[in-house]
Amino acid sequence: MNKAAFPLPSRPRQDRFVARQRDYFRGADCAKFRWQTTGPFFAATERALVAPAGGGGRLLEVGSGEGGNLFHLGPRHDLTVGVDLSLSKAALATTSIPWARFVCADALRLPFPDGLFDRVLCRDVLHHLETDRRRDAVAELYRVCRPDGEVVVIEPNPRNPLMAALALLIPAERGLLHSTPARVAGEVRGVGSRVTVDMAQPLPVARALLHYRFGAPALGGWRPVVRLLDTLDGALRRVLPRPFWAYVVVRGLVRAHCQKDLPASEGHRLHPADSIRRGQGEGSSVRGAS
């Protein structure tokens, strides 16, 4: 029976969610990249947050945006690839991160062979997917990671007051209300073994105070402000329970038989030797470092 003859019922709520995500994240944000990578004080907090994904070997970041996370992970001799659904973001990243290649693709259908990468980073992506597709995305992360490699998933914690406020103020961020530490850990644990869970940044006041649009980022260069922020962070680390910290960081070790348990995604598989060229729409690729 031809299933195409029986179209699925419309899903207006899910369709609106997907459209909101695409509209909000379609364009590149140069100012955000500069703030994330060079902003006084704030850039150091960003570097520390993604540090768990550091190390040698082939690295893939899914949801690489303008490239800020890969910038903080530093120049690498090994293959480094960023994937993002937005072509304009990938194009900006390729001019800013010369040691990496960038590909425009869907996180649910990564265009790479099984087990190509030694570690895979995915930050602030799951809560922008429909709730019933989050595990599918995690399965893709594991599929493209080699046996005994590592998958690192970083998500904002809705139990944190600042993150909850972000979700309430920005409609495109509402999905983070579902990214509780237990849920994110369960999603990663579902396809991986030896999962470890950590929490980062108890209450990132600097993210609000030094925000490049809504705050005063120049204050990060004032020594008294830096001392105050450091003191506040130290105090919060002592008094705020870890389940309420701002970010949940889940690291999963890929089982040796993991890829055999996962369905291969459809579509062409890019290999490092393939030419990565600048395209004209979603699903295209952007040339990076050779």
Side-chain angles (χ1 to χ4, degrees):
M1 182 180 294
N2 184 3
K3 295 182 179 179
F6 299 91
L8 295 174
S10 62
R11 304 182 306 163
R13 184 175 180 179
Q14 292 89 336
D15 291 344
R16 286 196 300 270
F17 175 86
V18 173
R20 181 184 297 131
Q21 302 303 318
R22 289 178 179 268
D23 289 343
Y24 189 76
F25 292 102
R26 179 175 288 118
D29 193 337
C30 299
K32 178 185 176 182
F33 176 80
R34 290 193 298 269
W35 176 59
Q36 186 180 7
T37 57
T38 64
F41 186 85
F42 178 73
T45 68
E46 288 288 281
R47 188 178 309 113
L49 181 61
V50 299
R58 294 177 170 181
L59 171 67
L60 170 69
E61 183 186 7
V62 177
S64 53
E66 292 84 3
N69 296 323
L70 292 180
F71 175 91
H72 284 306
L73 290 172
R76 302 163 47 82
H77 297 294
D78 299 306
L79 175 69
T80 303
V81 178
V83 169
D84 200 88
L85 191 61
S86 166
L87 180 63
S88 60
K89 289 180 183 292
L92 173 63
T94 206
T95 64
S96 306
I97 319 295
W99 58 85
R101 294 170 178 251
F102 292 90
V103 178
C104 187
D106 192 330
L108 296 168
R109 293 182 297 274
L110 296 174
F112 306 110
D114 296 355
L116 176 61
F117 298 95
D118 297 287
R119 55 177 33 83
V120 180
L121 168 65
C122 182
R123 176 189 172 185
D124 294 345
V125 172
L126 296 187
H127 66 277
H128 294 299
L129 302 175
E130 297 172 273
T131 54
D132 59 348
R133 303 307 304 273
R134 290 167 60 121
R135 287 186 182 272
D136 296 337
V138 175
E140 275 291 271
L141 304 181
Y142 275 90
R143 182 186 64 78
V144 300
C145 194
R146 68 167 175 81
D148 298 324
E150 188 175 45
V151 169
V152 180
V153 175
I154 303 175
E155 278 286 297
N157 178 15
R159 294 180 176 178
N160 184 270
L162 285 181
M163 293 303 169
L166 175 69
L168 294 176
L169 291 172
I170 303 178
E173 297 287 353
R174 298 279 163 79
L176 74 81
L177 295 174
H178 301 290
S179 286
T180 62
R183 177 170 188 163
V184 177
E187 288 167 338
V188 177
R189 187 177 292 112
V191 289
S193 60
R194 293 179 58 185
V195 169
T196 62
V197 182
D198 198 4
M199 306 300 294
Q201 298 188 8
L203 194 67
V205 176
R207 180 172 291 274
L209 178 65
L210 307 179
H211 196 275
Y212 69 106
R213 287 183 179 173
F214 311 116
L219 290 177
W222 290 19
R223 193 167 300 176
V225 174
V226 170
R227 285 199 297 265
L228 177 61
L229 289 172
D230 282 334
T231 301
L232 179 61
D233 183 72
L236 290 168
R237 287 177 182 275
R238 292 190 295 271
V239 302
L240 188 66
R242 292 182 74 87
F244 295 93
W245 287 20
Y247 286 97
V248 53
V249 181
V250 183
R251 304 171 71 167
L253 183 68
V254 180
R255 299 194 304 266
H257 61 284
C258 185
Q259 284 83 1
K260 294 188 293 183
D261 299 336
L262 301 174
S265 62
E266 299 177 358
H268 175 62
R269 299 282 192 271
L270 291 176
H271 187 272
D274 292 349
S275 174
I276 299 184
R277 301 178 300 277
R278 181 167 184 171
Q280 298 300 321
E282 290 180 355
S284 303
S285 303
V286 179
R287 183 176 179 83
S290 57

